Every structure is written in C-alpha cells, then in structure tokens.
Amino acid sequence: AIEGMLPPVIFVVVYIAFSDNLTYAVIAAVATGVVLAILRLVRGERPVRVVGALLVVAFAAFVAYYTGSAVAYFWPLVLANFASALAFAFSILIRWPLLGVIVGPIVGTGMRWRQDPDLLRAYARASWLWVLLNIIRGVVQIPLIQGEDLWALAAIRPVFYVLVIVTVLLSWVIIKRALPADHPGIRNPRSVDGTPL
C-alpha cells in the first residue's frame, strides 16, 4: 500500500512545492521508489515483484518527463489498473482465477485448490470483485487527469487502499458463501468425490 501510494504523492508534493519543477518531482518519485524497493528486498520479498513495482514508478516518471506534463505521470497507473482488470478477467476465463493463485500459496495449499471444483468456483466468483476494483480505480482517475487536478490524484491514493481492504473483506464473504456448508475451507481443498487433496 505504501509503495503504491507514496511515490505519486511525493511526486505531486515536490512538483507543487518547487514551483512546478518537473525534474525535481521525477527525481523524488523515482528515489522514493528505489528506497522502497531496497527495503522490500531487505525484507526478503521476491525480486521480480519488487522490480515490477519499481518499473511502474520509473515508467510513470519517464512519461511525465518526456511529455513535460505532471498529470501524464498518472496515465501509466491508469493503464496498470486496466491491465490488472484484464488479467483477473482472463484468469477467470481460463479457469486459473488470480485470487486463487495469490491466496493458495499463502494458506499453504499451493495450487491444489484447482482440483477442488468448489474452491475453483469460489475463487473465480471473488476474482470478479478484483476486476471491478481495478476498473473503478482506472475510471476514477481519468477525469482527474483530464482536469489536471494533481491534488485530487494524490489524495485519491489512500481511498484506493481503503477500497482494497473492502475488496479483501468482500472476497472472503463471497468465498465463504460460494463454498458448500460441508466444505472444510480454503486450507483443505478436496477432490470431486470429497476426499482431501
């Protein structure tokens, strides 16, 4: 949440504080992204995810600098939201819902949930919430970018993470309701005949 929120906020604050100096804003945003990436690597997070997040910040900063427009910083973030929505939707259609791919390893089931038709259906239903979340985040930013409202673009970041928390909670509710009453839960996938996997 901090990584997604802080670089854009720092970008806007520095840009306005230094009389619309785009160079300082770009340097500040990228430097913030680098510091956060280093902290994540020190904590032992996967380098691929860390580098991916840093590339989004760097690309957004590059677009802003190249175009000479501060609000252009936010277009790559909008595109990232729409790309995430498409990825979640596509994952559901190919029966590899991303929510299951993310949650399975966290709860210790790996990808065994895919052999459980109830869990597969539950993760697919809950993944649609993430499609919706990413579409909302993308759509909300477009008029703010077009209106060149930098403060609103910075201020909306914390609201997005409140929406993430709500989406996590609603995902859990959907998964619980999608599972039959006799299902042992997400930590205990079972096969079609009901035997534990």
Side-chain angles (χ1 to χ4, degrees), residues 114-180:
R114 287 202 72 247
Q115 300 168 45
D116 182 331
D118 296 324
L119 274 177
L120 182 61
R121 183 176 56 254
Y123 282 135
R125 287 181 183 173
S127 288
W128 284 114
L129 275 179
W130 294 87
V131 173
L132 182 61
L133 170 69
N134 282 293
I135 290 172
I136 289 170
R137 291 198 301 190
V139 167
V140 163
Q141 293 178 88
I142 291 173
L144 299 177
I145 293 171
Q146 291 172 334
E148 298 190 1
D149 194 340
L150 284 174
W151 280 122
L153 286 162
I156 200 77
R157 303 342 273 180
V159 175
F160 286 163
Y161 286 96
V162 171
L163 289 177
V164 169
I165 293 167
V166 170
T167 304
V168 168
L169 295 174
L170 290 176
S171 296
W172 178 246
V173 170
I174 288 173
I175 289 168
K176 291 291 282 183
R177 288 186 178 176
L179 294 175

Side-chain angles (χ1 to χ4, degrees), residues 18-33:
F18 287 91
S19 304
D20 300 348
N21 189 310
L22 197 53
T23 302
Y24 289 170
V26 163
I27 291 170
V30 172
T32 303

